[in-house]
């Protein structure tokens, strides 16, 4: 098997000095992710220094390490390991001829990234590299780049931010041929005094890294559409919009809701497609249109991409639907535990509304909403009621305004944390329920999902 990197290549890319000849097949900065033949990057940290875990990494089979102090094992010695990882990512992007896509957005970027990678990889023999998990920040992006084989046909990279200026640096590393923005929503709005316009400006930074001749893919139905287009015009040779509105370049002319999927007739430049999008909800119709726009801009096969969209795998924490044991029967669990903001909350509640049986909403607080937090939480009350929720279990102090807004309208239980939510749900969940679990990642509702899916409910 061809090595991903040799020690000579790593030293040349990072400006470091190799202690010995070695070759590696993977890269990680978390010693728990190291497998045989991998490179361990000993990154500095606020609580721990990666150099503390070198023995663990080598015991797990690491072939070498990037370090800032000499060690006995094979290594490349550099002054700054974080800077070295960035340099390795830049070198990886520089050595490939792959067509590259970058994806960002307030909602849906991970799912869209996964769907785009699957759509491109569906064609036999096509080598597609993508960011794993949500590795989309100042360490995750260079790590994902450094893992890309030189002979990849396509690369798909997710970019995230919670402050202005962050995506600018990431996109200049990724240098996408196609840059996609899924949607603009009040995520991390606490850090943006100008609200959604400020978030749109920060997301629009993704176009700064576009390669010559590159394409910007923009949500047509967004109130910030024209603002995003102005950002795109600076670098993009082509601007493609997607959405439901008349005038979008990639548009859903007809949508049939099948419950757990949608059948869509999509109008695109030069082609009309009828396809199934194998995830529930209008937000996934939008994501699917963005994927089709990106595939076309990358020169991929639209027919094969459409098949892949119909076969999309469920994503844990992002809409996975699981049958779980409750007492002597079963219930449906909709796992949206990874993250939440007001826009994604409303989209997922709309999905819950279509389910049969009693609807139970376990909603964790939405974080980084700043001064508007109370207003934005309380503002979900009508959506909860409209979804037909019979019982709402609200988790975290920031959910108190929503609890107050729902008081007297539906059955509401407010608890402080996930541990309390697990106990409360055990007392209320029943066979036949449809249970939605959604909240900001820091709330830790994934622990409740794990509890439910291990059969302990």
């Amino acid at each position: 098997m061809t090595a991903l990197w040799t020690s000579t290549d790593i030293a040349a890319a990072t400006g470091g000095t190799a202690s010995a000849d070695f070759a590696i097949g993977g890269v990680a900065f978390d010693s728990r992710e190291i497998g045989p033949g991998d490179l361990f990057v000993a990154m500095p940290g606020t609580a721990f220094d990666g150099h503390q875990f070198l023995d663990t990494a080598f015991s797990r089979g690491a072939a070498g390490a990037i370090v800032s102090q000499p060690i006995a094992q094979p290594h490349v010695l550099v002054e700054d390991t974080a800077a070295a990882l960035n340099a390795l990512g830049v070198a990886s992007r520089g050595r490939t001829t792959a067509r590259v896509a970058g994806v960002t957005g307030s909602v849906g970027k991970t799912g869209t990234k996964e769907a785009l990678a699957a759509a491109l990889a569906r064609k036999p023999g096509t080598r597609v590299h993508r960011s794993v998990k949500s590795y989309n920040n100042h360490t995750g992006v260079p790590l994902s780049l450094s893992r890309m084989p030189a002979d990849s046909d396509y690369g798909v990279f997710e970019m995230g931010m919670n402050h202005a200026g962050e995506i600018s640096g990431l996109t200049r590393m990724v240098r996408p041929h196609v840059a996609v923005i899924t949607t603009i929503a009040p995520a991390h709005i606490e850090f943006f005094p100008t609200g959604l316009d400020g978030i749109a400006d920060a997301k629009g930074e993704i176009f700064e890294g576009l390669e010559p001749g590159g394409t910007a893919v923009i949500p047509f139905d967004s109130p910030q559409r024209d603002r995003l287009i102005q950002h795109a015009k600076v670098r993009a040779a082509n601007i493609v919009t997607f959405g439901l509105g008349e005038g979008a370049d990639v548009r859903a002319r007809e949508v049939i809701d099948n419950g757990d999927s949608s059948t869509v007739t999509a109008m695109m430049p030069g082609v009309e497609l009828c396809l199934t999008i194998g995830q529930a909800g209008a937000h996934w119709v939008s994501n699917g249109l963005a994927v089709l726009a990106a595939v076309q801009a990358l020169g991929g096969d639209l027919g094969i991409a459409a098949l892949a969209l119909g076969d999309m795998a469920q994503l844990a924490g992002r809409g996975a639907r699981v049958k779980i044991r409750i007492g002597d029967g079963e219930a449906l669990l909709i796992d949206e535990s990874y993250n939440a903001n007001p826009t994604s909350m409303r989209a997922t509640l709309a999905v819950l509304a279509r389910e049969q049986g009693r609807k139970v909403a376990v909603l964790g607080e939405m974080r980084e909403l700043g001064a508007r937090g109370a207003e934005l939480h309380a503002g979900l009350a009508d959506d909860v009621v409209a979804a037909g929720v019979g019982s709402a279990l609200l988790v975290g102090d920031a959910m108190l305004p929503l609890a107050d807004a729902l008081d007297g309208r539906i059955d509401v239980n407010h608890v402080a944390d996930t541990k309390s939510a697990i106990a409360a749900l055990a007392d209320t969940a029943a066979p036949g329920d449809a249970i939605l679990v959604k909240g900001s990642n820091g709330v830790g509702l994934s622990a409740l999902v794990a509890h439910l899916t291990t059969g302990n409910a």
Side-chain angles (χ1 to χ4, degrees):
M1 184 179 294
T2 303
L4 179 63
W5 294 97
T6 67
S7 54
T8 301
D9 296 332
I10 297 167
T14 63
T17 302
S19 70
D21 290 334
F22 60 87
I24 60 97
V27 184
F29 52 63
D30 186 334
S31 61
R32 295 167 295 184
E33 294 184 358
I34 288 290
D38 284 350
L39 175 73
F40 178 60
V41 185
M43 296 278 282
T46 54
F48 299 101
D49 188 314
H51 292 81
Q52 297 173 248
F53 302 99
L54 283 161
D55 288 343
T56 300
F58 280 100
S59 72
R60 293 177 64 89
I66 293 179
V67 295
S68 59
Q69 55 198 43
I71 58 173
Q73 299 95 333
H75 64 273
V76 173
L77 182 65
V78 299
E79 289 188 8
D80 182 330
T81 55
L85 178 62
N86 280 358
L88 196 63
V90 169
S92 181
R93 178 64 183 89
R95 69 180 183 173
T96 184
T97 58
R99 295 281 290 169
V100 174
V103 181
T104 193
S106 303
V107 181
K109 54 184 175 292
T110 299
T112 300
K113 175 259 297 181
E114 292 290 327
L116 176 54
L120 294 167
R122 184 65 175 261
K123 185 175 181 179
T126 304
R127 295 158 298 192
V128 178
H129 175 77
R130 75 191 197 286
S131 308
V132 298
K133 301 181 182 178
S134 288
Y135 282 172
N136 61 22
N137 63 5
H138 66 288
T139 54
V141 169
L143 177 67
S144 297
L145 280 166
S146 73
R147 292 171 166 177
M148 180 167 61
D151 61 354
S152 298
D153 297 305
Y154 295 100
V156 184
F157 297 94
E158 178 181 340
M159 287 172 261
M161 64 87 200
N162 52 25
H163 291 84
E166 292 175 343
I167 287 179
S168 179
L170 302 178
T171 189
R172 294 172 194 275
M173 278 192 228
V174 172
R175 291 167 41 209
H177 298 96
V178 176
V180 180
I181 296 179
T182 57
T183 192
I184 303 298
H188 315 298
I189 199 166
E190 147 179 27
F191 306 117
F192 293 91
T194 57
L196 291 178
D197 285 348
I199 292 173
D201 292 340
K203 296 296 184 183
E205 293 170 13
I206 194 172
F207 305 130
E208 296 174 12
L210 274 172
E211 288 285 88
T215 299
V217 179
I218 289 172
F220 181 84
D221 302 317
S222 171
Q224 285 74 38
R225 176 193 65 209
D226 293 342
R227 196 177 191 95
L228 294 173
I229 288 173
Q230 289 305 310
H231 283 286
K233 283 180 176 178
V234 177
R235 285 294 297 251
N238 308 290
I239 297 175
V240 178
T241 59
F242 67 92
L244 302 178
E246 189 74 38
D249 299 311
V250 178
R251 181 172 68 88
R253 179 170 61 79
E254 184 179 15
V255 178
I256 300 173
D257 183 352
N258 303 320
D260 59 357
S261 66
S262 297
T263 301
V264 178
T265 302
M267 308 295 295
M268 302 182 65
V271 66
E272 178 177 329
L273 290 173
C274 185
L275 69 150
T276 297
I277 295 177
Q279 300 275 5
H283 57 301
W284 262 107
V285 173
S286 179
N287 293 346
L289 295 172
V291 167
L292 292 175
V295 169
Q296 187 174 55
L298 289 165
D301 189 308
L302 285 171
I304 291 175
L307 293 175
L309 286 171
D311 293 338
M312 279 189 294
Q314 300 287 328
L315 297 175
R318 296 179 174 87
R321 302 162 72 86
V322 184
K323 289 289 187 180
I324 58 171
R325 174 64 59 181
I326 298 287
D328 295 329
E330 285 187 331
L332 171 67
L333 170 65
I334 303 173
D335 176 14
E336 285 274 1
S337 60
Y338 183 75
N339 221 334
N341 59 51
T343 299
S344 64
M345 278 284 198
R346 290 188 171 92
T348 310
L349 285 165
V351 171
L352 180 64
R354 298 196 297 270
E355 300 301 329
Q356 301 298 312
R358 187 180 70 136
K359 301 173 182 64
V360 178
V362 183
L363 305 179
E365 63 186 23
M366 303 175 290
R367 296 185 173 176
E368 297 183 351
L369 297 181
R372 294 188 61 198
E375 166 202 346
L376 292 171
H377 281 86
L380 295 174
D382 288 345
D383 299 274
V384 172
V385 173
V389 171
S391 176
L393 176 56
L394 308 180
V395 186
D397 291 345
M399 273 292 179
L400 277 169
L402 178 57
D404 291 341
L406 288 171
D407 188 32
R409 302 176 70 181
I410 64 170
D411 177 49
V412 180
N413 185 8
H414 177 262
V415 297
D417 53 33
T418 295
K419 182 178 180 181
S420 302
I422 291 172
L425 188 61
D427 292 336
T428 59
D433 285 351
I435 304 170
L436 167 65
V437 179
K438 187 167 183 65
S440 285
N441 193 37
V443 180
L445 290 178
S446 58
L448 183 147
V449 170
H451 178 82
L452 293 173
T453 53
T454 55
N456 295 323

